[in-house]
Amino acid sequence: MSDSEAIVNGFVGSDYVSDGKWNGVPLQHAAWFPVAGVKMTIYKVAMTQNGEAYAKVTISASPAKGSIEKAIYRAADDGTLVAQDIELQPGLLCTETLRVVADGVKHELSFSDGSKGDWLCPHVPAAVLATSLHA
């Protein structure tokens, strides 16, 4: 297994649900942060030529859903996943860094206008997730 595959494997296998709490972003970027209850799944994509891997993300809802789901999250040396130059709208790009923390996955956004923000998507056990989505 390659280093990139090992890093990606550390993120896959769980569903995460946004708690809707984000930090540090000016109000003009509020739309790019998920509301409470948005589900995220991270999955691995194996590269066929060199044994490396990267990750992709699916999310249940967001104004940026299409952009986020097109992004490629590459493993970084510090154990994070990083997607660069995600085009949220013409003229506004962001870099998203995903970091595994004790409670789930921390998202850190850095926008092309210099502003930044972050939020936590807690890991949600499958049984709880199924109950909450069907209630």
Side-chain angles (χ1 to χ4, degrees):
M1 177 180 338
S2 70
D3 288 345
S4 69
E5 187 175 15
I7 291 169
V8 171
N9 284 343
F11 287 83
V12 300
S14 296
D15 287 319
Y16 303 90
V17 177
S18 172
D19 62 8
K21 299 174 186 173
W22 45 270
N23 299 307
V25 175
L27 291 178
Q28 73 265 25
H29 293 319
W32 307 117
F33 286 81
V35 298
V38 170
K39 177 184 165 192
M40 177 187 73
T41 302
I42 301 170
Y43 63 96
K44 179 173 65 173
V45 179
M47 295 174 66
T48 58
Q49 297 299 319
N50 61 3
E52 298 290 313
Y54 60 90
K56 299 283 284 181
V57 170
T58 60
I59 58 173
S60 59
S62 169
K65 180 177 172 64
S67 298
I68 292 167
E69 291 184 346
K70 288 179 188 173
I72 295 171
Y73 293 79
R74 296 192 183 274
D77 290 339
D78 63 356
T80 61
L81 294 178
V82 179
Q84 296 181 315
D85 295 331
I86 300 171
E87 184 181 42
L88 299 174
Q89 66 185 39
L92 182 63
L93 304 177
C94 82
T95 295
E96 181 173 19
T97 301
L98 304 178
R99 184 177 315 277
V100 172
V101 296
D103 297 337
V105 171
K106 183 177 182 183
H107 299 251
E108 300 164 351
L109 294 184
S110 178
F111 295 92
S112 57
D113 66 3
S115 58
K116 298 179 185 237
D118 62 73
W119 77 93
L120 177 69
C121 274
H123 162 72
V124 178
V128 172
L129 182 64
T131 302
S132 67
L133 292 179
H134 297 344

